[in-house]
Amino acid sequence: MDMLWSGWGDPVRATPLPDTVTGLLRDLLGVRPRATGPVALDAIPVPAPPLTDAALRALRDAVGDDGHVRTDAESRIRHTRGKSTPDLLRMRRGDVTDLPAAVVLPADHDDVLAVLRACAAHDLAAVPFGGGTSVVGGLAPERRRPFVALDLRRMNRLLALDSVSRTATLQPGLRAPEAEALLAGHGFTLGHFPQSYEWATLGGFAAARSSGQASAGYGRFDEMVLGLTLATPEGTLEAGRAPRSAAGPDLRQLVLGSEGAFGVITSVTVRLRPLPQTRLYEGWRFASFEEGAAALRRLAQDGPRPTVLRLSDETETLIGLAQPDAIGSPGARQDTGCQAIAGYEGTVEDVAHRRQRAAAVLRECGGTHLGEEPGERWVHGRYSAPYLRDSLLDAGAFAETLETAAFWSRVPELYAAVREALTATLTAAGTPPLVMCHISHVYENGASLYFTVVSAQGEDPVAHWAPAKRAANEAIIASGGTISHHHGVGTDHRDGYVQEAGPLGIEALRAVKRRLDPAGLLNPGVLLPLD
């Protein structure tokens, strides 16, 4: 099943906003319904693919000529851009300026190498395409030449499983639920559950350094990767042959987060965990974001660390976004203070032990126990926020997210600076926003901040967001944060990444790019500026 071409996920799951919410948006933010709705997919004029007969023949020879090279309008539209709010707004108005010339579906590593050779021979760029869930411009390369979307969905097999070492080797086109089902059949889990879980792929997780909602217990995806294979225009790169090594710099780290700019990940070897015997999630309330953050820091630094640990600020708690599937419903909480979610997965004994000790710490830090109901509601709605965004767009609101991370000592400054940048910029544009935030991932030395912004769309919602996003990026860099904690770089964060990495760091990465992809075919302009 394909994602909704102009929105998120399965359209059956999208529901209109309750009247109470649309009324709140109108009264609080001045949101008004749009005069016209999204264009119909079959009404979008699509130019003929800019491919010569020789190029088309070479692509078909690379992957086989039975439907694995697609040039029809719908396939190309469905592979245009990702799922950021500006991406969706452009799609809804029929803007397909980032349209690929073709969609190519390789079956294995050798097919990918053959496609890259065909692209090199016919001056085509190539953009790896997994679940299509990028929200940072990772699927819209700078267009100096036609490009093909390299859709990896046929590469969806479990290649090997080592139950003694607790590792598995999987192909990159596996969606996360498919991977979990395959591993569960052997009694294991990855434990990687980002908000994009239902649609994103393992290759995308590795390419963007994804971090799942249970990272406090299972770790980030880049921490799970023990080995990988990369197909490049210059050949094959293998990285990782042992759990740890002192054999020089770790080449896996060069590939993780490279976003298809150096090559196409064709397999990943990951560490596994046993399926948990039990899962338990519960809610806590703190009087302030500062107090709650201090409690989370205590657990992150001194333990015991829950599997899931997150904290909504006062605004997010009041609005109810901590439970996005319940917004506007009679059962939705509208607590004062800040709501935290603590979740535990593992053996029965381990969960009981960690929960008891963590509860003592949370109470000592001023937390009030809310019971399991808020935690279970969060679990039930943990993947629903992107559907809520679609409903907000339908109602005429603008809704977008951004994220960052910093050391604990810088988190308060970073939180205040980003909120101020977003509020001041959008208010000056005549669309005063509602800015909400939560701590989404915790570490011994710091934490991530995940912001949600809602405002009226204004006359041109894409143009209205650009200066606010730019101001937020500048605030992040100035406050000591990283330009992205888990969304990735793409084109949206590229300038911030250049500042973060510094001139020498960028030149080192350019040297890698020139060696692995000398013609600049792979995802041009994504991650690194063009020469």
Side-chain angles (χ1 to χ4, degrees):
M1 179 181 177
D2 289 320
M3 290 185 80
L4 177 64
W5 68 276
S6 59
W8 180 265
D10 182 356
V12 173
R13 291 184 52 186
T15 56
L17 294 175
D19 291 341
T20 53
V21 176
T22 56
L24 179 65
L25 292 170
R26 180 187 62 247
D27 298 339
L28 183 64
L29 301 176
V31 171
R32 296 292 184 270
R34 300 295 293 176
T36 57
V39 301
L41 188 148
D42 58 7
I44 298 174
V46 175
L51 293 173
T52 65
D53 290 343
L56 189 57
R57 188 163 53 249
L59 293 172
R60 287 173 173 163
D61 288 344
V63 294
D65 191 15
D66 52 341
H68 303 321
V69 177
R70 301 176 183 175
T71 58
D72 62 285
E74 180 172 341
S75 294
R76 293 165 66 201
I77 290 172
R78 289 186 178 278
H79 290 77
T80 300
R81 305 190 188 94
K83 297 297 181 181
S84 72
T85 297
D87 287 340
L88 298 186
L89 289 168
R90 291 188 181 104
M91 296 306 294
R92 284 168 170 237
R93 69 189 187 202
D95 177 350
V96 290
T97 51
D98 297 308
L99 194 74
V103 179
V104 183
L105 290 81
D108 55 27
H109 177 81
D110 290 340
D111 274 7
V112 174
L113 288 175
V115 171
L116 296 181
R117 286 194 296 269
C119 288
H122 296 277
D123 196 29
L124 299 171
V127 176
F129 190 101
T133 61
S134 171
V135 292
V136 292
L139 300 174
E142 294 194 5
R143 299 180 305 282
R144 293 185 179 176
R145 66 189 102 187
F147 75 96
V148 299
L150 200 57
D151 189 321
L152 305 176
R153 71 179 65 188
R154 293 176 65 209
M155 299 175 66
N156 61 353
R157 292 185 295 131
L158 169 63
L159 300 176
L161 189 140
D162 180 345
S163 60
V164 174
S165 304
R166 291 186 176 175
T167 67
T169 302
L170 306 108
Q171 289 185 308
L174 269 169
R175 285 183 180 168
E178 297 170 339
E180 281 295 320
L182 288 170
L183 297 175
H186 298 272
F188 293 109
T189 180
L190 272 174
H192 189 68
F193 306 106
Q195 195 171 80
S196 61
Y197 169 79
E198 296 169 310
W199 297 91
T201 61
L202 299 194
F205 291 155
R209 288 188 179 271
S210 174
S211 190
Q213 294 169 338
S215 64
Y218 291 104
R220 293 166 53 95
F221 195 78
D222 48 6
E223 297 171 330
M224 301 176 186
V225 176
L226 303 175
L228 49 79
T229 304
L230 189 74
T232 82
E234 293 294 286
T236 299
L237 177 68
E238 300 273 1
R241 59 185 299 154
R244 294 291 185 273
S245 172
D250 189 347
L251 292 178
R252 292 173 304 174
Q253 299 304 320
L254 188 64
V255 178
L256 293 167
S258 60
E259 301 188 25
F262 298 155
V264 182
I265 297 169
T266 57
S267 72
V268 289
T269 298
V270 292
R271 61 124 168 99
L272 307 176
R273 297 282 173 82
L275 280 171
Q277 293 177 355
T278 188
R279 296 179 172 92
L280 187 148
Y281 289 80
E282 58 190 8
W284 291 79
R285 183 190 299 123
F286 291 89
S288 68
F289 195 54
E290 180 182 13
E291 184 179 89
L296 267 61
R297 179 169 63 85
R298 275 277 304 273
L299 289 179
Q301 291 180 334
D302 303 326
R305 190 178 295 185
T307 308
V308 170
L309 189 59
R310 49 199 290 125
L311 172 73
S312 294
D313 71 1
E314 291 89 345
T315 306
E316 187 170 284
T317 300
L318 180 64
I319 295 299
L321 199 60
Q323 302 166 26
D325 65 322
I327 289 178
S329 68
R333 283 185 177 273
Q334 295 209 332
D335 293 329
T336 57
C338 298
Q339 180 177 291
I341 298 295
Y344 307 88
E345 299 186 5
T347 65
V348 174
E349 295 79 9
D350 174 64
V351 164
H353 180 64
R354 280 191 293 143
R355 182 193 185 193
Q356 181 181 28
R357 291 176 57 217
V361 172
L362 293 172
R363 286 194 180 94
E364 183 182 333
C365 291
T368 300
H369 189 228
L370 301 176
E372 295 180 25
E373 188 266 343
E376 292 305 314
R377 289 205 72 122
W378 176 81
V379 171
H380 182 264
R382 66 195 298 184
Y383 308 127
S384 62
Y387 292 102
L388 174 62
R389 177 187 57 173
D390 283 0
S391 299
L392 287 166
L393 295 181
D394 290 341
F398 181 93
E400 184 59 302
T401 62
L402 58 92
E403 41 73 53
T404 180
F407 294 114
W408 282 112
S409 60
R410 305 298 294 269
V411 165
E413 174 190 351
L414 180 63
Y415 171 73
V418 175
R419 280 176 53 88
E420 173 59 25
L422 292 167
T423 301
T425 309
L426 290 169
T427 300
T431 54
L434 189 66
V435 180
M436 298 164 277
C437 182
H438 64 264
I439 292 176
S440 57
H441 304 79
V442 298
Y443 306 95
E444 182 178 354
N445 307 111
S448 69
L449 295 174
Y450 191 100
F451 294 87
T452 300
V453 186
V454 181
S455 73
Q457 290 188 8
E459 290 301 316
D460 184 343
V462 175
H464 123 285
W465 173 243
K469 175 67 171 177
R470 186 164 54 250
N473 287 353
E474 291 170 356
I476 286 169
I477 296 298
S479 302
T482 178
I483 198 63
S484 176
H485 171 263
H486 58 270
H487 281 172
V489 176
T491 54
D492 293 0
H493 294 154
R494 186 185 59 203
D495 293 346
Y497 179 57
V498 167
Q499 288 182 265
E500 189 172 325
L504 186 58
I506 293 299
E507 283 308 308
L509 293 177
R510 284 191 188 279
V512 173
K513 173 78 168 173
R514 284 191 293 268
R515 179 62 186 91
L516 298 180
D517 180 22
L521 304 175
L522 287 161
N523 229 358
V526 169
L527 186 69
L528 298 173
L530 296 179
D531 289 325

